Amino acid sequence: MSSQKILSTLLLVFLLFLKASANFEPKFSSNMTVIDVNEDTMIGEEAYKIIATDPENDPLTYFMTGADSVYFKLNENTGVVTVARELDREAKPQLRVRICVKDGANEVFLTQIIILKDANDNAPIFINAPYTVSVYENETKGATLFNVEAVDSDEGLSGAVKYNIVEVLPDAPYLFVIHQNGNVTLNGTLSYAEKSTFYQLKIEASDYGGMYNGSSVVRNSSAFAFIYVDDVPDRKPIFLNIPYQTSVPENSAVGTSVFRVSAIDGDRGIKDEITYAIQSSKPPGLFRINAQSGDIFVNALLNREELLDFNTIVELQVMAKEKHLNINGTVSSANTSVSITVTDINDNTPSFYNCDLDTCNFTESSKVNSFTTSIPEHFSTGELRESLTIVAHDPDQGINGTFMLSLHGQYASVFRVSPKEIRNEGLVQIIVTNSSAIDYELVHVIKIEIVANDTTNPTNCCSSANITINIVDINDHSPMFAKQTYVLYVKEHAEVGTEIGNITATDPDSGNFGKITYSLLPDSIRNEFQVNSTTGVITAENSTTIDREKRPIYYATLQATDGGNRIGTASLEIVLEDINDFQPVMARDSYTAFITEGSKNELDIKIEAFDNDQDGTNNSEIRYAITAGDYQQNFTIDPITGVLRSVGPIDREDMNPSLDGKVILIVTASDLGVPTLSTSVNVTIIVEDVNDNSPIFTESVYNASVMEHTLGAFVTLVKASDNDATEINNRVIYSIENGGTGTFLIRQILINETVPKQYEGNITVDPTIALDYDKGPKFYTLGVSASDLGIPSKSAYATIHVTVLDMNDEPPVLDPDSMKDLDVMENNTMVGIVRNITASDVDTNHSLNYQLVSVACLKHKIIDEQPDAPCQFWFGLYDNGSLYENKSSVIDYEEYDQVDITICVTDLYTEKSNPSTTGKLTINIVDANDNAPVFLAFERVFVIVPELAPLSADVAIVKASDNDTGKNAEINFVVTDTVFIFSDGQPNQELSNVFDTSQVSLVDGVYTATIKIKSSLDKTLRGQYKVTVKASDGGTLTLTATTYLDLITVDESFKTLLEFKITPEEVQEKMNEIIMILREATHSNPRVVGINAITNGRDQSLIRSKAKSIMEIYFVCKNGTAIPPEDINSILQRNPEAVQKLLDIGLLNIKEPIEPIDTEAPLLATIGGLVAAFIILLAIMITVLVCSRKSYKRKIKSITAMNTAKTITVDGLQSGPVVPGTNKYTLDGANPVWNTVFDTATDLGFEEANSDQASINSLDENVVDAMAGTPAKKSNTLEMTEKTRNNYSTVGNGKPLSAALDDHDNNKEKASGKFENGFHNPILNSIDI
């Protein structure tokens, strides 16, 4: 026996010893180190199950210890862990227990970490609630009032908090706004007086929802905020209980308290000190006011009667002012009116006035105590109204002003007074009761006394006045002349006023009745004579008509009339004495002659006169002379003949213009009588004008200016004069000869209507033409002529330079460059001027003013229509066009990304047309990188089957978004850290370059990347990868966010082998159908590793069902668990329909990979004890081997025969009864071998190193038939399940020695009549992720 065979024998004996004596310890499942349990798991519900296995399948008992074990209750037999106490992740996120599993002989301990998975079981909690804040009522809109903060101890969206104002008391739902950062801002205006001084806000904080007890729950809580509005001094004081009206008796003592005014601060929350003052008083000075209390006191003596002009009411204007300045830096004050009525006391006596009742002025100075009047004697009974006006007046009021009237004196009985009683005031009438007693011959003057008695005033009751009545005489006599007829003499044509005579009469009456007035009758005589009405002197009245030749004697009556119209008369004879009373008479009333200017001796005209006096006397001899007239030196007259001639030429222009070319001479014809009489006549000599002068302009050159675009505008006036005397020769006509035809007009304007008339040329712009300074021309040179109307006409010329002035008539134009879109960075990074808006104006004189008209806030091109949108206050515009960013507002790109500003530029000097131009400036808010990436909700746990995960395979997905835009929102993902957590409790292992991220994709603002395998995964590792993924944005200052992924591995222990009797190609064709059947039957996701062919033809001949291919497959569940291969049979047994479909396809058997028995640890434990027995066993084995050699040779021959039988086809075999206990049928030529004690497990291969081990038991069960529920049938053919070294190499880790041991055990069971079903049905062990 060789040394190799001896060594093999020793090893076999050693292994048999170990198998018979070793009891291996149970083993926890690989995923028992870290357990996830939902914190909302109810008490009594299953939290998880402890999974352990025992190699010997001994019954296991489970135990749990540790401080945290009180939270759970463990079923010792099943390993099911239920919740015993309420779990709270927020109080204790991780529990640590020590679990133990026992198989009777061995116990294994494991420290188990239980991670409580968050549930949405916590509502947000406000910090520092309730909130109380005081705000001034003039706080600006948009101001941040206070900040609230609520925290939610949950994780993720369940722990993210959002805020909302759900109630505002008093009702003002839009007055306050809360932002998601907790800032509460003012969205309107406050008013302490007009709105509310207090607001109560109910603020709700809610999370974004999460799962709790299997349902999605949103949790919220609320807190109250109390906002007290503080008053600011912006209101005037308020007078209380107005209007103010009171009364005070007249003559009240100075200092008497009259009334109190009261005012309070209009700012009720401030209550400033109020002081009072009298602003004005009508009448002034009567009252004063206490500045602090508002009490009004009498300041001067009050006399109601002096206040009648004010209706006895004193009107005070009282001012109340606050002590401190208001918010505008001024003193707040208010005014009110106080009406004080001064009441009456009986302190006045009646008084008399001489006036009409309607116009009386009842003042002290108007009082009178005497009256005078006159009445004619024998005055008839009645009142003396016309000559006497007496008014009595008592200024006291009511009964105090009532008084009685009476008359006193010697003649009181001749009269009576009416009325007897007067209240306040009345007209007093004195009535005559006895007219006979009024006799001028008896008495000339009567005096009486009138008394007014105020009966209610005993101390000062009465007043009186004297009335003097003068008796007037009446007319009872007529005037008388001394003679009845008087003769008077006077020369004819006596001068007016010549006294002819003085005749008077007498009248004994007195006064006016004795005054005599004289007159002549008839009335016609008065044309020639007059009498002095007072003296009676008679004079000549008309020297012309007193003509003896016409009437030598006049007869008249002289009448005397007294003041009472009584008349007396006397007769008059007036005799005329003859005188020389005729004068020469001209033959014509006037003379007219014409001469031409500049001519000589052209005039020759005769003046004629006659005299009616007696011919031949001096009175009828006539002499002629030029006695008066202009330019009389140029003329001469013959005194005898009266011929008038010119003595030289006359220039018309040298004549006085007022003469209008006329020379008027007065020629007198005188007689030689005494006195000399003469007559004159006008001689008019018209000097005819000749056009001998040309017009002359006052200036040869005129300069003028005119405003553009002024239709019909005045340009200038030109003036020319012509020295000719007549209008036809000096009338000037103006015209524009050149330079402005069609553009300018010239019109004649009469500027002087006196002779000679003067005209100016009014040059204007044609009303249909608009001059344009900008288009030109800017200057015009006009040629203007002035022509007279003479024949021939004469002309003059002048030049007018016209400058066109620029009118401010063009609107300004915004500079397009300054209106280009503007980019402004958010977060007030550019505070100050961000753009200078410019505009141009073609007008030479302009002043541009810039205004911001409107602001539109846009987000994604959508305008925010709400009033007072926040972006309204982001920018401002100075009037010089500087656009600035407002410091008081924070620009937020996430709120608005575009602001459209309408800008208006106005030319303040515009004179015409539209002065303004508007334009829109678009401000693009540039995103600042102020938002870090945010990972979105996604599955954080993924399952990897390393064997199925090639390089670059996708194993997970991450998603994130960034509220910024552009590069600031571009997100890149990178795997920063990878840690492998072993499920068996080994220390965590940090790995590098295991995973990587793919190219990022962007869809609807969400960046997505897949996590790929960068290097090959170790398929033997059991546990999970903790992968850290960082998301970074593209901002200059990069912002990042981090998340974690749990990648749980499904190691190869979960791989299952499916044997098929069809070829790999056929399996490949039907793989989809197979996967679908398996998916429905196992409710998992089958993942195929590969399909391999069984290629050893020699072995195939021994396989009863002719297995041709093996499918390697994993069953991964949706929840991350994987089904162990030992559980697949029991799962499929529950679905016979699926099994039948698989059998129809060609499924033969379901196997699990055979792993090598880990004997290293038992060997190390027992090697010491075995060494001692090794020598004894060696001696025994040598003896046994020697004795058994012959027997083994025979067995080896049988095995050789069996291998030879593989070459025999099935068809060649003969059927028939079998030989019991043999491996052969009863065929001809067969060589039966008794096989009762034959066991291939003892075949050590001594004879043939490469001989195969095989079961030759023809009664092997078909495990696939057992799965289908059909009893196994004995085949007529030889069926052998080959378990060779080659086959084990195909399916995994099989070794001939272990296969022999397995067959040995199986044959033992068969020999004992016990057959193990191909399926065993333990409880499904799942890996709880």
Short mmCIF file of all heavy atoms in Angstrom, two decimals, residues 959-984:
data_model
loop_
_atom_site.label_atom_id
_atom_site.label_comp_id
_atom_site.label_asym_id
_atom_site.label_seq_id
_atom_site.Cartn_x
_atom_site.Cartn_y
_atom_site.Cartn_z
N LYS A 959 -31.68 62.40 -6.92
CA LYS A 959 -32.32 63.56 -7.55
C LYS A 959 -32.15 64.76 -6.62
O LYS A 959 -32.23 64.63 -5.41
CB LYS A 959 -33.81 63.31 -7.78
CG LYS A 959 -34.11 62.19 -8.76
CD LYS A 959 -35.62 62.04 -8.95
CE LYS A 959 -35.94 60.93 -9.95
NZ LYS A 959 -37.40 60.78 -10.15
N ALA A 960 -31.94 65.91 -7.23
CA ALA A 960 -31.81 67.13 -6.44
C ALA A 960 -32.23 68.31 -7.30
O ALA A 960 -32.26 68.23 -8.54
CB ALA A 960 -30.38 67.31 -5.94
N SER A 961 -32.57 69.37 -6.66
CA SER A 961 -32.92 70.61 -7.35
C SER A 961 -32.29 71.77 -6.60
O SER A 961 -31.89 71.65 -5.45
CB SER A 961 -34.43 70.80 -7.44
OG SER A 961 -34.99 70.96 -6.15
N ASP A 962 -32.19 72.88 -7.31
CA ASP A 962 -31.60 74.10 -6.74
C ASP A 962 -32.48 75.26 -7.15
O ASP A 962 -32.79 75.45 -8.32
CB ASP A 962 -30.17 74.30 -7.27
CG ASP A 962 -29.42 75.35 -6.46
OD1 ASP A 962 -30.00 76.40 -6.18
OD2 ASP A 962 -28.25 75.10 -6.13
N ASN A 963 -32.92 76.06 -6.17
CA ASN A 963 -33.82 77.18 -6.46
C ASN A 963 -33.15 78.30 -7.23
O ASN A 963 -33.81 79.22 -7.68
CB ASN A 963 -34.41 77.75 -5.17
CG ASN A 963 -35.47 76.83 -4.60
OD1 ASN A 963 -36.11 76.07 -5.34
ND2 ASN A 963 -35.66 76.87 -3.30
N ASP A 964 -31.81 78.25 -7.34
CA ASP A 964 -31.13 79.24 -8.16
C ASP A 964 -31.34 78.91 -9.64
O ASP A 964 -32.01 77.93 -9.99
CB ASP A 964 -29.64 79.27 -7.81
CG ASP A 964 -29.41 79.74 -6.38
OD1 ASP A 964 -30.09 80.69 -5.98
OD2 ASP A 964 -28.57 79.16 -5.70
N THR A 965 -30.75 79.70 -10.50
CA THR A 965 -30.89 79.47 -11.93
C THR A 965 -29.51 79.51 -12.57
O THR A 965 -28.52 79.92 -11.96
CB THR A 965 -31.79 80.53 -12.59
OG1 THR A 965 -31.22 81.82 -12.35
CG2 THR A 965 -33.19 80.49 -12.02
N GLY A 966 -29.52 79.14 -13.87
CA GLY A 966 -28.27 79.19 -14.61
C GLY A 966 -27.24 78.25 -14.02
O GLY A 966 -27.52 77.16 -13.54
N LYS A 967 -25.98 78.75 -14.07
CA LYS A 967 -24.92 77.91 -13.54
C LYS A 967 -25.06 77.69 -12.05
O LYS A 967 -24.61 76.68 -11.51
CB LYS A 967 -23.55 78.55 -13.86
CG LYS A 967 -23.22 78.57 -15.33
CD LYS A 967 -21.78 78.98 -15.56
CE LYS A 967 -20.79 77.95 -15.04
NZ LYS A 967 -20.90 76.67 -15.72
N ASN A 968 -25.71 78.64 -11.37
CA ASN A 968 -25.91 78.47 -9.93
C ASN A 968 -26.82 77.30 -9.63
O ASN A 968 -26.85 76.82 -8.49
CB ASN A 968 -26.49 79.75 -9.33
CG ASN A 968 -25.52 80.90 -9.42
OD1 ASN A 968 -24.31 80.70 -9.45
ND2 ASN A 968 -26.04 82.12 -9.46
N ALA A 969 -27.65 76.91 -10.61
CA ALA A 969 -28.58 75.81 -10.38
C ALA A 969 -28.09 74.50 -10.98
O ALA A 969 -28.75 73.48 -10.82
CB ALA A 969 -29.96 76.16 -10.95
N GLU A 970 -26.98 74.56 -11.71
CA GLU A 970 -26.46 73.34 -12.31
C GLU A 970 -25.85 72.46 -11.22
O GLU A 970 -24.96 72.92 -10.47
CB GLU A 970 -25.43 73.68 -13.38
CG GLU A 970 -26.04 74.41 -14.58
CD GLU A 970 -24.97 74.75 -15.60
OE1 GLU A 970 -23.79 74.41 -15.36
OE2 GLU A 970 -25.32 75.34 -16.64
N ILE A 971 -26.32 71.26 -11.15
CA ILE A 971 -25.92 70.37 -10.05
C ILE A 971 -25.08 69.22 -10.62
O ILE A 971 -25.44 68.61 -11.65
CB ILE A 971 -27.16 69.82 -9.32
CG1 ILE A 971 -27.95 70.98 -8.70
CG2 ILE A 971 -26.76 68.82 -8.24
CD1 ILE A 971 -29.23 70.54 -8.04
N ASN A 972 -23.99 68.97 -9.94
CA ASN A 972 -23.17 67.79 -10.23
C ASN A 972 -23.13 66.92 -8.97
O ASN A 972 -23.10 67.43 -7.84
CB ASN A 972 -21.75 68.20 -10.63
CG ASN A 972 -21.72 68.85 -12.00
OD1 ASN A 972 -22.36 68.35 -12.92
ND2 ASN A 972 -21.02 69.96 -12.13
N PHE A 973 -23.15 65.64 -9.22
CA PHE A 973 -23.13 64.68 -8.12
C PHE A 973 -21.78 63.97 -8.10
O PHE A 973 -21.19 63.70 -9.16
CB PHE A 973 -24.25 63.64 -8.27
CG PHE A 973 -25.63 64.23 -8.28
CD1 PHE A 973 -26.26 64.57 -9.47
CD2 PHE A 973 -26.31 64.47 -7.09
CE1 PHE A 973 -27.52 65.11 -9.49
CE2 PHE A 973 -27.58 65.01 -7.10
CZ PHE A 973 -28.19 65.33 -8.29
N VAL A 974 -21.32 63.67 -6.90
CA VAL A 974 -20.08 62.92 -6.76
C VAL A 974 -20.20 62.03 -5.52
O VAL A 974 -20.80 62.42 -4.52
CB VAL A 974 -18.87 63.87 -6.65
CG1 VAL A 974 -18.97 64.76 -5.41
CG2 VAL A 974 -17.56 63.09 -6.63
N VAL A 975 -19.66 60.83 -5.65
CA VAL A 975 -19.62 59.91 -4.51
C VAL A 975 -18.37 60.24 -3.72
O VAL A 975 -17.25 60.14 -4.23
CB VAL A 975 -19.61 58.45 -4.98
CG1 VAL A 975 -19.45 57.51 -3.79
CG2 VAL A 975 -20.88 58.12 -5.74
N THR A 976 -18.58 60.69 -2.49
CA THR A 976 -17.45 61.14 -1.67
C THR A 976 -16.95 60.07 -0.70
O THR A 976 -15.80 60.13 -0.28
CB THR A 976 -17.86 62.38 -0.86
OG1 THR A 976 -18.98 62.05 -0.02
CG2 THR A 976 -18.28 63.51 -1.80
N ASP A 977 -17.81 59.13 -0.37
CA ASP A 977 -17.39 58.16 0.65
C ASP A 977 -18.21 56.89 0.49
O ASP A 977 -19.41 56.95 0.19
CB ASP A 977 -17.58 58.76 2.05
CG ASP A 977 -16.92 57.91 3.13
OD1 ASP A 977 -16.04 57.10 2.78
OD2 ASP A 977 -17.28 58.06 4.31
N THR A 978 -17.55 55.75 0.69
CA THR A 978 -18.24 54.47 0.63
C THR A 978 -17.76 53.62 1.80
O THR A 978 -16.54 53.41 1.97
CB THR A 978 -17.97 53.73 -0.70
OG1 THR A 978 -18.37 54.58 -1.78
CG2 THR A 978 -18.75 52.43 -0.76
N VAL A 979 -18.69 53.16 2.59
CA VAL A 979 -18.37 52.31 3.75
C VAL A 979 -19.20 51.05 3.64
O VAL A 979 -20.41 51.12 3.39
CB VAL A 979 -18.67 53.04 5.08
CG1 VAL A 979 -18.42 52.11 6.25
CG2 VAL A 979 -17.83 54.30 5.19
N PHE A 980 -18.56 49.91 3.81
CA PHE A 980 -19.30 48.66 3.80
C PHE A 980 -19.54 48.23 5.24
O PHE A 980 -18.62 48.13 6.05
CB PHE A 980 -18.55 47.55 3.05
CG PHE A 980 -19.41 46.33 2.82
CD1 PHE A 980 -20.27 46.27 1.73
CD2 PHE A 980 -19.40 45.26 3.71
CE1 PHE A 980 -21.07 45.17 1.53
CE2 PHE A 980 -20.21 44.16 3.51
CZ PHE A 980 -21.05 44.12 2.41
N ILE A 981 -20.82 48.00 5.56
CA ILE A 981 -21.23 47.58 6.90
C ILE A 981 -21.55 46.10 6.86
O ILE A 981 -22.49 45.67 6.17
CB ILE A 981 -22.46 48.38 7.38
CG1 ILE A 981 -22.15 49.89 7.37
CG2 ILE A 981 -22.90 47.94 8.76
CD1 ILE A 981 -23.36 50.75 7.67
N PHE A 982 -20.74 45.30 7.56
CA PHE A 982 -20.93 43.85 7.54
C PHE A 982 -22.12 43.48 8.40
O PHE A 982 -22.32 44.02 9.49
CB PHE A 982 -19.67 43.14 8.04
CG PHE A 982 -18.52 43.25 7.08
CD1 PHE A 982 -17.61 44.28 7.20
CD2 PHE A 982 -18.36 42.33 6.05
CE1 PHE A 982 -16.54 44.40 6.32
CE2 PHE A 982 -17.29 42.44 5.18
CZ PHE A 982 -16.38 43.47 5.30
N SER A 983 -22.89 42.52 7.91
CA SER A 983 -24.07 42.09 8.65
C SER A 983 -23.71 41.17 9.81
O SER A 983 -24.56 40.93 10.69
CB SER A 983 -25.05 41.37 7.70
OG SER A 983 -24.42 40.24 7.10
N ASP A 984 -22.48 40.61 9.80
CA ASP A 984 -22.12 39.69 10.88
C ASP A 984 -21.39 40.39 12.01
O ASP A 984 -20.83 39.75 12.89
CB ASP A 984 -21.24 38.55 10.32
CG ASP A 984 -20.01 39.07 9.61
OD1 ASP A 984 -19.82 40.32 9.60
OD2 ASP A 984 -19.24 38.27 9.05
#
